[in-house]
Amino acid sequence: MAGRLLLLRGAGRALRPGRALPAAPGPCARRGCGELAGLRAMGFSQEQARRLLALQPRLGPEHREAAAAQLLLLGLSAEAALALLERSPALLRLPAERLRERAEELRRLGLDGGRLQRAASRCPQLFHVPRKRLEAAVRLLRERCLFTAEQLREVLGTCPAVLLEEPHTLHHQFQYAYFRMGVQQKEMVKARLFQMPFAELRNRHIFLERRGLYETPHKGQTQTSNPKLKDILQLPEKDFLASLAYSTPEEFEVFKKLLAREEEEKKEEEDVDALYTEDDDDLDSDESKTAGE
């Protein structure tokens, strides 16, 4: 085990210019299959190593081995690392140092141990996005949404994709849940708010609201007993309709189409209002110039 760890650490280091990984010993190296032997030494089976070699076949062996080593050092199994690379083969082209640094950044955000392994497996794009974008999302969740440090760790652990979202998108979804639905941060975290696309959350909430089954709390009080956010978000649509909305899929589909039409008409009205406002501003400007002359 210690020997394998040393091998992984060695493969994970940034290679110096002009320096290649040592070839595997024996006749396999002379037949050009040293890379296969190197992957086997890391813990990949023969079949797994061949699948890995099929990814980005023109890529140099040092890049492939270094990327695979970094994923194994995160704690992923050989099969999990291979599955991740098969879903996102572009990871093989990232410098090993970039993979290592990004893993350290994610650990600093609270994604350590199993959380980091799950985040990497679910969301390999985390290794590609600019660091400033990650920092902007975290700053928004902490400073404007007011999640505690522990709540933030839970959000990132259950929905690492929030780090890929634009801050204004996250803020809009948070504000909707907080002000329109009257939900506090603790319940948002427990219900895994950010796992559901905002459009679907809004469809379900407004559907309940118009059926008299959800009321926005006023000073924390409502006349009805609102469904829990967790049930609204996590129930499959069939169960949501049967147990919360007391409706049919056909009714829900008609509602979504009507709601989309309402939004479209509202946007058109706002565009017309904005156009008239611009015309009024131009007219006021012309009248000011005439008066000045």
Side-chain angles (χ1 to χ4, degrees), residues 25-41:
C28 183
R30 292 195 297 272
R31 292 197 301 268
C33 57
E35 188 177 359
L36 181 66
L39 294 173
R40 291 294 309 280

Side-chain angles (χ1 to χ4, degrees), residues 35-36 39 44 46-69 71 78-94 124:
E35 188 177 359
L36 181 66
L39 294 173
F44 292 96
Q46 183 85 1
E47 189 267 340
Q48 289 170 338
R50 292 190 183 282
R51 284 164 56 193
L52 187 51
L53 289 174
L55 301 173
Q56 304 280 350
R58 296 184 180 181
L59 195 66
E62 66 277 6
H63 293 290
R64 193 188 318 276
E65 291 187 13
L71 295 180
E79 183 60 32
L82 175 59
L84 176 59
L85 291 170
E86 287 179 328
R87 289 199 309 275
S88 185
L91 287 176
L92 290 169
R93 294 191 174 276
L94 289 179

Side-chain angles (χ1 to χ4, degrees), residues 102 105 109 125-126 128-141 156 160-170:
R102 178 53 53 84
E105 291 169 11
L109 295 177
Q125 301 93 324
L126 290 174
H128 294 285
V129 297
R131 181 175 60 186
K132 289 184 178 180
R133 186 165 178 178
L134 300 182
E135 293 173 346
V138 170
R139 190 161 53 249
L140 181 281
L141 293 169
L156 298 183
V162 296
L163 293 172
L164 308 178
E165 295 287 350
E166 294 291 344
H168 68 86
T169 302
L170 290 177

Side-chain angles (χ1 to χ4, degrees), residues 202-230:
R202 187 170 174 275
N203 284 339
R204 292 190 177 196
H205 168 246
I206 296 178
F207 190 56
L208 291 172
E209 193 175 49
R210 294 190 181 179
R211 293 179 67 81
L213 299 170
Y214 199 103
E215 180 184 345
T216 300
H218 178 65
K219 296 183 178 180
Q221 301 297 320
T222 64
Q223 298 299 317
T224 63
S225 180
N226 286 335
K228 294 184 180 298
L229 179 65
K230 183 177 181 180

Side-chain angles (χ1 to χ4, degrees), residues 105 155 159 166 173 200 222 226 235:
E105 291 169 11
V155 169
C159 189
E166 294 291 344
Q173 186 160 349
E200 180 61 20
T222 64
N226 286 335
L235 283 176

Side-chain angles (χ1 to χ4, degrees), residues 67-291:
Q70 285 299 326
L71 295 180
L72 293 175
L73 287 171
L74 292 181
L76 296 177
S77 66
E79 183 60 32
L82 175 59
L84 176 59
L85 291 170
E86 287 179 328
R87 289 199 309 275
S88 185
L91 287 176
L92 290 169
R93 294 191 174 276
L94 289 179
E97 188 65 16
R98 166 72 178 276
L99 290 171
R100 187 190 65 78
E101 290 176 355
R102 178 53 53 84
E104 289 301 320
E105 291 169 11
L106 295 173
R107 287 190 182 97
R108 283 195 294 271
L109 295 177
L111 289 172
D112 50 5
R115 285 176 174 172
L116 178 57
Q117 296 168 27
R118 289 190 295 272
S121 297
R122 294 176 185 174
C123 199
Q125 301 93 324
L126 290 174
F127 292 99
H128 294 285
V129 297
R131 181 175 60 186
K132 289 184 178 180
R133 186 165 178 178
L134 300 182
E135 293 173 346
V138 170
R139 190 161 53 249
L140 181 281
L141 293 169
R142 284 287 281 132
E143 297 177 4
R144 303 190 66 182
C145 300
L146 301 179
F147 288 107
T148 67
E150 181 56 37
Q151 288 171 342
L152 176 61
R153 282 194 291 272
E154 186 65 22
V155 169
L156 298 183
T158 57
C159 189
V162 296
L163 293 172
L164 308 178
E165 295 287 350
E166 294 291 344
H168 68 86
T169 302
L170 290 177
H171 197 215
H172 185 55
Q173 186 160 349
F174 167 80
Q175 287 185 312
Y176 186 91
Y178 190 84
F179 292 107
R180 283 281 280 112
M181 301 181 72
V183 178
Q184 299 296 310
Q185 287 89 338
K186 183 178 180 180
E187 188 178 354
M188 294 181 198
V189 174
K190 185 178 180 180
R192 302 181 181 182
L193 170 68
F194 298 105
Q195 282 190 349
M196 174 172 280
F198 173 66
E200 180 61 20
L201 165 66
R202 187 170 174 275
N203 284 339
R204 292 190 177 196
H205 168 246
I206 296 178
F207 190 56
L208 291 172
E209 193 175 49
R210 294 190 181 179
R211 293 179 67 81
L213 299 170
Y214 199 103
E215 180 184 345
T216 300
H218 178 65
K219 296 183 178 180
Q221 301 297 320
T222 64
Q223 298 299 317
T224 63
S225 180
N226 286 335
K228 294 184 180 298
L229 179 65
K230 183 177 181 180
D231 293 332
I232 296 174
L233 295 176
Q234 296 188 11
L235 283 176
E237 184 175 291
K238 180 180 178 181
D239 296 331
F240 163 76
L241 293 172
S243 61
L244 293 186
Y246 307 111
S247 183
T248 64
E250 292 76 18
E251 288 177 316
F252 192 41
E253 286 303 314
V254 171
F255 162 77
K256 288 189 286 187
K257 291 177 181 178
L258 291 175
L259 184 62
R261 186 183 301 172
E262 285 180 22
E263 289 298 307
E264 186 177 346
E265 292 174 353
K266 181 180 178 181
K267 184 177 184 303
E268 289 176 355
E269 291 176 1
E270 290 175 349
D271 291 342
V272 170
D273 291 342
L275 180 60
Y276 278 118
T277 301
E278 291 177 2
D279 290 342
D280 290 342
D281 292 342
D282 292 340
L283 182 59
D284 292 341
S285 178
D286 292 340
E287 289 176 352
S288 298
K289 289 181 181 178
T290 303

Side-chain angles (χ1 to χ4, degrees), residues 1-39:
M1 181 64 183
R4 181 191 173 201
L5 185 59
L6 289 173
L7 175 62
L8 293 178
R9 287 175 176 168
R13 296 193 197 102
L15 295 175
R16 298 176 184 173
R19 179 182 175 186
L21 289 173
C28 183
R30 292 195 297 272
R31 292 197 301 268
C33 57
E35 188 177 359
L36 181 66
L39 294 173

